[in-house]
Every structure is written in C-alpha cells, then in structure tokens.
C-alpha cells in the first residue's frame, strides 16, 4: 500500500512502524478488499508524491476525499480530468477569479497547482463510497498531524490556507515563520460566511514574493 517518494519516505519512515499506522494499514486492507474505497489504493499518497517536502510553498488542508465514483485521486479538493467540478471547488475558482482577476481553467484537476509547490492534503486520506468522514478516527489524523509538524518545523517560510474548523484545528501547531490564513470552508453551506472575499490567493502570493519565491499561478 505504501507508495511514497523518497523525499517524504525518509521523513516518515518511523511513522510507518508505529502501532497506530500498522492498525490503520490492517483496517485499510480489509476496507479495500470488502468495500468501495476512494481514492484507488495507488493514489492514497498522491498529494505527497506530487510535491517534494523541500518544494512545498503552500499547504491547503481538506477534510477527506470526495466519495462519489471517479472523483478522488489523492489531492484535496481536486477531481480527475473530465469530472464535473464539485461545488466547493466551484467556489474556490470563483474566489480566485474575483481575487486575482483571472479566469480559471475548466478542469478540476489541481495537479497543475501541486507541480508549483501546493500541497493539497486531506486530513483523512481515504473514505468509503457515499459515506463522508467514514474513515475519521482510524489513524489518518495522527499521520496528517505529523506531516504538518514536519512542515511547520521547516525554517523556510510557507503559507497554510485553513478553510473550515477541521483545517483550522491545525493552526496552533504551526510555527510563526509561516503565514496562516483562515476562512470558512468553501462549501456552499458556508462560503458566504467569509470564504468569498477572503483574498487568500493574492495574500499567499504576496507572501511568497516577499520571501523571494515564485508566486503560484492559480488559474
């Protein structure tokens, strides 16, 4: 199950040996063999495999993968090419367009962001079909916290975009050299409570430029 690039594997090797992760692995082996689980097993660590640890410039934390067929492929908020763009991502694109005055691509596949250093990390990396949050509390949160801790400890500044209460729970552990931006979740249920107008994308780019980094092309 563990297919992960050397950049992250070297940092997480001890984590894979801990009892909680071994229990998680056994749970997932049973789930994948008896139920429909998303994403495909080989895509569980796609977010990490898409961005080397040392190349991360922006972190966006999601809740868990999309739970309908053909959507999830291991990157938070992202869907595979040719799939209808989900409502939360529609709202993310709306905010980008209003914030930056650009037109977003019509594809919901955010690999184009990951290639520029955006880590699209879900709190839980797997989910049962049609059952949101069904793998919550199985150990993924401990693993995700370890990743956030490793990034937070990096001296090189980066941006954390924390949308909604689940993502914002990580805020207290993030070191002060990084920029932490908080807003309501982009879901249609909460986007109008402050996600729209948050200008996180221009603020993230301003911070990156101020620290000598190339800004993200968010289109």
């Amino acid at each position: 199950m563990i297919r992960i690039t050397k950049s992250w594997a070297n940092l997480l090797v001890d984590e894979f040996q801990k009892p909680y992760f071994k229990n998680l692995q056994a749970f997932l082996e049973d789930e994948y063999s008896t139920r429909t689980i998303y994403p495909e097993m080989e895509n569980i660590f796609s977010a990490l495999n898409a961005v080397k640890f040392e190349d991360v410039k922006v972190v966006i934390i999601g809740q868990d993968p999309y739970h309908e067929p053909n959507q999830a492929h291991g990157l938070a908020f992202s869907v595979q090419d040719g799939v209808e763009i989900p409502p939360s991502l529609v709202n993310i694109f709306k905010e980008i367009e209003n914030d930056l005055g650009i037109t977003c691509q019509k594809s919901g596949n955010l690999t184009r962001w990951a290639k520029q250093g955006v880590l699209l990390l879900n709190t839980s990396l797997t989910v049962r079909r049609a059952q949101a949050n069904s793998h919550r509390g199985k150990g993924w949160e401990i693993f995700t916290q370890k990743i956030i801790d490793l990034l937070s400890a990096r001296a090189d500044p980066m941006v954390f975009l924390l949308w909604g209460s689940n993502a914002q729970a990580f805020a207290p552990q993030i070191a002060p050299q990084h920029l932490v931006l908080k807003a309501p979740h982009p879901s249609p249920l909460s986007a109008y409570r402050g996600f729209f107008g948050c200008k996180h994308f221009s603020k993230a780019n301003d911070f990156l430029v101020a620290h000598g980094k190339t800004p993200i092309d968010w289109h």
Side-chain angles (χ1 to χ4, degrees), residues 17-31:
Q17 304 307 316
K18 291 182 178 178
Y20 89 86
F21 197 88
K22 290 187 177 294
N23 290 338
L24 172 61
Q25 219 172 338
F27 168 75
L28 291 174
E29 286 170 5
D30 180 65
E31 286 283 283

Side-chain angles (χ1 to χ4, degrees), residues 175-211:
Q177 70 269 28
H178 308 299
L179 176 65
V180 176
L181 298 175
K182 301 178 186 178
H185 195 277
S187 157
L189 298 173
S190 54
Y192 288 95
R193 296 183 200 148
F195 178 78
F196 289 135
C198 69
K199 298 190 179 297
H200 279 187
F201 303 95
S202 59
K203 290 175 182 177
N205 278 353
D206 289 347
F207 181 85
L208 293 175
V209 170
H211 288 85

Side-chain angles (χ1 to χ4, degrees), residues 53-94:
F53 171 77
E54 59 271 22
D55 293 340
V56 175
K57 296 194 289 190
V58 178
V59 181
I60 298 177
I61 301 175
Q63 182 173 288
D64 59 352
Y66 294 120
H67 52 257
E68 297 301 333
N70 303 316
Q71 291 183 312
H73 64 121
L75 305 181
F77 293 104
S78 179
V79 291
Q80 300 185 67
D81 286 315
V83 176
E84 183 179 356
I85 299 175
S88 290
L89 186 53
V90 168
N91 288 340
I92 290 170
F93 285 171
K94 280 183 185 175

Side-chain angles (χ1 to χ4, degrees), residues 20-195:
Y20 89 86
F21 197 88
K22 290 187 177 294
N23 290 338
L24 172 61
Q25 219 172 338
F27 168 75
L28 291 174
E29 286 170 5
D30 180 65
E31 286 283 283
Y32 273 95
S33 64
T34 59
R35 299 175 182 270
T36 301
I37 305 299
Y38 300 125
E40 298 290 337
M41 191 179 287
E42 62 265 25
N43 291 330
I44 290 175
F45 293 119
S46 289
L48 300 179
N49 291 337
V51 192
K52 291 180 180 177
F53 171 77
E54 59 271 22
D55 293 340
V56 175
K57 296 194 289 190
V58 178
V59 181
I60 298 177
I61 301 175
Q63 182 173 288
D64 59 352
Y66 294 120
H67 52 257
E68 297 301 333
N70 303 316
Q71 291 183 312
H73 64 121
L75 305 181
F77 293 104
S78 179
V79 291
Q80 300 185 67
D81 286 315
V83 176
E84 183 179 356
I85 299 175
S88 290
L89 186 53
V90 168
N91 288 340
I92 290 170
F93 285 171
K94 280 183 185 175
E95 176 58 23
I96 289 171
E97 292 180 346
N98 289 331
D99 182 10
L100 300 176
I102 61 175
T103 300
C104 289
Q105 293 184 24
K106 290 182 167 58
S107 170
N109 188 331
L110 303 181
T111 302
R112 60 186 185 271
W113 295 358
K115 288 179 177 177
Q116 300 177 71
V118 181
L119 178 63
L120 295 153
L121 183 68
N122 278 315
T123 307
S124 292
L125 300 191
T126 53
V127 70
R128 287 180 186 169
R129 177 175 178 169
Q131 294 184 47
N133 264 336
S134 48
H135 284 183
R136 188 175 184 176
K138 302 298 184 181
W140 279 131
E141 295 85 353
I142 304 170
F143 185 74
T144 306
Q145 182 65 66
K146 177 64 176 180
I147 292 169
I148 300 301
D149 289 346
L150 287 166
L151 290 164
S152 175
R154 212 181 74 178
D156 194 23
M158 70 191 82
V159 182
F160 288 83
L161 303 184
L162 307 182
W163 302 330
S165 56
N166 277 353
Q168 288 167 19
F170 291 102
Q173 283 76 45
I174 298 172
Q177 70 269 28
H178 308 299
L179 176 65
V180 176
L181 298 175
K182 301 178 186 178
H185 195 277
S187 157
L189 298 173
S190 54
Y192 288 95
R193 296 183 200 148
F195 178 78

